[in-house]
Amino acid sequence: LWLDDLQSYKRNRLEQLEEGSQLQDGRYIIENENAAGGPAQIYKARDSHGNSDRYVVLKEFVLPVGAGQDVRNRSFKNVKNEALLLARLNHEGIIHLYDHFVEDHRAYLVLEYIDGVSLRQLVKENGPLSGDILKDYIRDMVAILDYLHGLEPPVVHRDFTPANLVITPQNRVKLLDFNVAHTMESNTTRTVVGKHSYIAPEQFRGKPCPQSDLYSLGGTIFFMVTGADPVPLSQSRPEVGDKMISE
């Protein structure tokens, strides 16, 4: 159901989507290109289906062609996992997944459009935060992590940073980008992901846990208060005086 026309190894389109381009038989109409987000291209689009007529975000992942089915399946694993994970999340502080599809050897997630600004951009443009607004943002972030870590099994975001936190026009916090999130029941990964200044020691060793997100929360609070990123760890087992912190 995910991969269309498995026998075809030719793309109909080689360039990026332009304004006015249509997907899914005209349901999604591209408004503009927002940005490149890691392995994905991000577009703002209008959903013209039925009475919805709403703006959405299309997160596009280009799938390889001509490299064999196994390669394509492996390349698609992360986007499929992100879609399946988002589909089971239901919290006002987490971006909502509306739909997912594959077209022209590209996988798409259809996500809630948030007319806001990233926490990183907000602080860079306006300076460090303080007072009630700082407390309100921290309260929202704690509620988001409390929800994720309270699931069974717990969900670890692994990239809880100012760039992935959006401030809405109502001054509420929304968490984006679950591309590297994983559940604690999955096999422990040795892959180190996340932004260096916000990675906890155990995540630096490829062993993330819910406490890793709390470390990133602390780094995010530091950024909000100072306007600067925390000093990144230079080793996976930091020393305290002569003693090495045990695992």
Side-chain angles (χ1 to χ4, degrees), residues 59-101:
K59 190 173 183 179
E60 178 191 69
F61 300 83
V62 177
L63 304 177
V65 295
Q69 189 62 44
D70 289 343
V71 174
R72 290 209 289 174
N73 285 342
R74 286 197 301 271
S75 72
F76 188 60
K77 183 178 179 181
N78 281 346
V79 62
K80 183 173 73 173
N81 288 344
E82 183 177 358
L84 293 175
L85 177 58
L86 281 171
R88 62 179 281 241
L89 301 180
N90 182 23
H91 189 275
E92 63 181 1
I94 294 173
I95 193 169
H96 184 69
L97 175 73
Y98 294 132
D99 192 10
H100 51 73
F101 62 91

Side-chain angles (χ1 to χ4, degrees), residues 142-155:
V142 170
I144 292 169
L145 290 181
D146 183 58
Y147 169 77
L148 291 175
H149 299 164
L151 294 172
E152 187 56 45
V155 172

Side-chain angles (χ1 to χ4, degrees), residues 232-244:
L233 295 173
S234 59
Q235 53 189 11
S236 62
R237 301 181 66 193
E239 296 180 0
V240 178
D242 312 328
K243 300 180 180 179
M244 188 78 72

Side-chain angles (χ1 to χ4, degrees), residues 1-4 76 79-80 83-84 100-103 107-109:
L1 294 177
W2 279 90
L3 296 176
D4 61 346
F76 188 60
V79 62
K80 183 173 73 173
L84 293 175
H100 51 73
F101 62 91
V102 172
E103 184 171 311
Y108 294 90
L109 301 183

Side-chain angles (χ1 to χ4, degrees), residues 32-47:
N32 58 53
E33 175 190 352
N34 282 13
Q41 196 73 31
I42 308 298
Y43 297 95
K44 178 183 177 182
R46 183 166 58 86
D47 181 1

Side-chain angles (χ1 to χ4, degrees), residues 198-219:
Y198 297 85
I199 294 180
E202 68 279 358
Q203 187 171 336
F204 194 61
R205 295 193 299 272
K207 297 181 178 180
C209 61
Q211 287 80 1
S212 307
D213 284 344
L214 297 182
Y215 181 98
S216 299
L217 170 64

Side-chain angles (χ1 to χ4, degrees), residues 33-232:
E33 175 190 352
N34 282 13
Q41 196 73 31
I42 308 298
Y43 297 95
K44 178 183 177 182
R46 183 166 58 86
D47 181 1
S48 62
H49 180 68
N51 297 320
S52 61
D53 198 26
R54 62 189 171 191
Y55 286 119
V56 295
V57 168
L58 292 182
K59 190 173 183 179
E60 178 191 69
F61 300 83
V62 177
L63 304 177
V65 295
Q69 189 62 44
D70 289 343
V71 174
R72 290 209 289 174
N73 285 342
R74 286 197 301 271
S75 72
F76 188 60
K77 183 178 179 181
N78 281 346
V79 62
K80 183 173 73 173
N81 288 344
E82 183 177 358
L84 293 175
L85 177 58
L86 281 171
R88 62 179 281 241
L89 301 180
N90 182 23
H91 189 275
E92 63 181 1
I94 294 173
I95 193 169
H96 184 69
L97 175 73
Y98 294 132
D99 192 10
H100 51 73
F101 62 91
V102 172
E103 184 171 311
D104 194 24
H105 300 286
R106 290 168 169 82
Y108 294 90
L109 301 183
V110 184
L111 301 163
E112 173 187 7
Y113 173 74
I114 303 170
D115 186 15
V117 61
S118 74
L119 179 61
R120 172 168 291 280
Q121 183 179 348
L122 179 72
V123 172
K124 288 298 183 182
E125 291 180 356
N126 299 288
L129 306 177
S130 61
D132 290 340
I133 195 66
L134 175 65
K135 295 176 184 177
D136 288 344
Y137 290 170
I138 293 174
R139 188 178 297 111
D140 282 353
M141 294 175 196
V142 170
I144 292 169
L145 290 181
D146 183 58
Y147 169 77
L148 291 175
H149 299 164
L151 294 172
E152 187 56 45
V155 172
V156 181
H157 188 271
R158 297 203 292 175
D159 200 12
F160 195 90
T161 60
N164 286 330
L165 294 161
V166 170
I167 308 302
T168 71
Q170 295 76 33
N171 265 332
R172 303 304 301 270
V173 178
K174 285 263 191 179
L175 178 61
L176 314 179
D177 199 355
F178 280 74
N179 187 50
V180 298
H182 77 151
T183 57
M184 289 304 295
E185 71 175 1
S186 59
N187 294 331
T188 300
T189 175
R190 285 284 178 180
T191 304
V192 179
V193 297
K195 297 174 180 65
H196 198 176
S197 294
Y198 297 85
I199 294 180
E202 68 279 358
Q203 187 171 336
F204 194 61
R205 295 193 299 272
K207 297 181 178 180
C209 61
Q211 287 80 1
S212 307
D213 284 344
L214 297 182
Y215 181 98
S216 299
L217 170 64
T220 299
I221 294 173
F222 178 90
F223 174 79
M224 289 193 293
V225 172
T226 67
D229 291 313
V231 176

